[in-house]
Amino acid sequence: MALPAAVIAAETAYKPEYKLSTVLGPAFPWGKGGEIWAELVRERSKGRINIKMYPGASLVGGDQTRELAAVRQGAIDLAIGSTINWSPQVKELNLYALPFLTQDHAGLDALTSGEVAKDIFALVEKAGVVPLAWGENGFRELSNSKREIRRPDDMKGLKFRVVGSPIFNDTFSALGANPTQMSWADAQPALASGAVDGQENPLHIYTAAKLNTVGQKYVTLWGYLADPLIFVVNKQVWESWSPEDRALVRQAAIDAGRQEIALARKGLTASDDAMYKEVTALGATLTRLTPAEKEAFVRATRPVYDKWAQTIGPDLVRKAEAAVAARRK
Ligand code: X2X
């Protein structure tokens, strides 16, 4: 017997595959989070919603700063994106790139929950995509091939690969370094050839991408900022789903985000410092700054903070500062 037309229509409303964009693959917490999300959705939807992950920002030819626009336009169905990569489109996301706004996980949690998170999600939604949950890339530490960095002066003249938001150019210029903006795909060959001397990324990326093998011998723990990740869905795709499907995709994103954040922090906590040992075991010199040494970096980058606070919006920045301070108590 033929199926009623309404049943056929409902069934064909699902795409055979929903494309999920990430910058990093499953060797990294970020890509692992994508795998977990896809798996949870597949299980809970009993296979109705089939998500396939495309790491390397490959759906936008590796140009990670174009990812958000591609989700909005429908070339990408879902994404787990870094606030850094999307900040050229949503200027308020530069909040997370303000140097030394927060320097620990508690402070970071304050920026991805409560009023600040609500404001940020509203802005992401206004940019034309549906935000569902938070993840984390992590605190971005400094590495280079030339010398140990303890003072801003040590950065003078060094070429650093930076990510795709202009605030990073300002920060590295303020420290006396020469920043060059490029994608992660271009960064690795540039480090290998010596076209750039250094970069900044979470230690999980340092170890999984084996940055020691491209000469990155010196690592300074300065914890100047961390980029959260945001799980999003294209609006038309979202609206094509039933309320039940939407609820399960959202809950799966929240659950995957929680697991991903735990992976991103693994080995980087007071009770488990395995990641620092791993970096040292790879032969890198790991430099921890004293509070006074760190203060010199805070001071040197303060004009950048103040300038960008105007771009981001002074009200949002004040709200974020208050949220971070409240967590410290
Ligand atoms: O490009 C980077 O440095 C990375 C992988 O951390 C981001 O996508 C922000």
Side-chain angles (χ1 to χ4, degrees), residues 22-24 28 30 64 67 81-85 137-138 140 161-164 168 182-185 187 199-202 205 227-229:
T22 60
V23 175
L24 301 175
F28 305 81
W30 186 340
Q64 59 215 52
E67 190 180 55
S82 158
T83 49
I84 297 172
N85 296 330
N137 192 14
R140 303 177 71 87
R161 172 269 172 170
V162 293
V163 264
F168 288 85
M182 64 183 80
S183 70
W184 174 242
Q199 61 91 48
E200 44 81 62
N201 251 309
I205 295 185
D227 50 332
L229 304 176

Side-chain angles (χ1 to χ4, degrees), residues 71-88:
V71 180
R72 182 171 49 228
Q73 290 154 8
I76 293 174
D77 299 310
L78 313 98
I80 306 174
S82 158
T83 49
I84 297 172
N85 296 330
W86 295 355
S87 58

Side-chain angles (χ1 to χ4, degrees), residues 83-137:
T83 49
I84 297 172
N85 296 330
W86 295 355
S87 58
Q89 274 95 37
V90 183
K91 68 180 184 344
E92 293 85 353
L93 290 178
N94 283 298
L95 176 71
Y96 300 98
L98 286 176
F100 304 101
L101 168 60
T102 175
Q103 300 173 46
D104 56 34
H105 291 138
L108 185 57
D109 287 340
L111 300 176
T112 56
S113 60
E115 284 297 308
V116 178
K118 218 159 102 196
D119 287 1
I120 293 288
F121 269 20
L123 291 159
V124 169
E125 182 118 42
K126 212 169 119 216
V129 302
V130 183
L132 300 181
W134 295 92
E136 184 168 312
N137 192 14

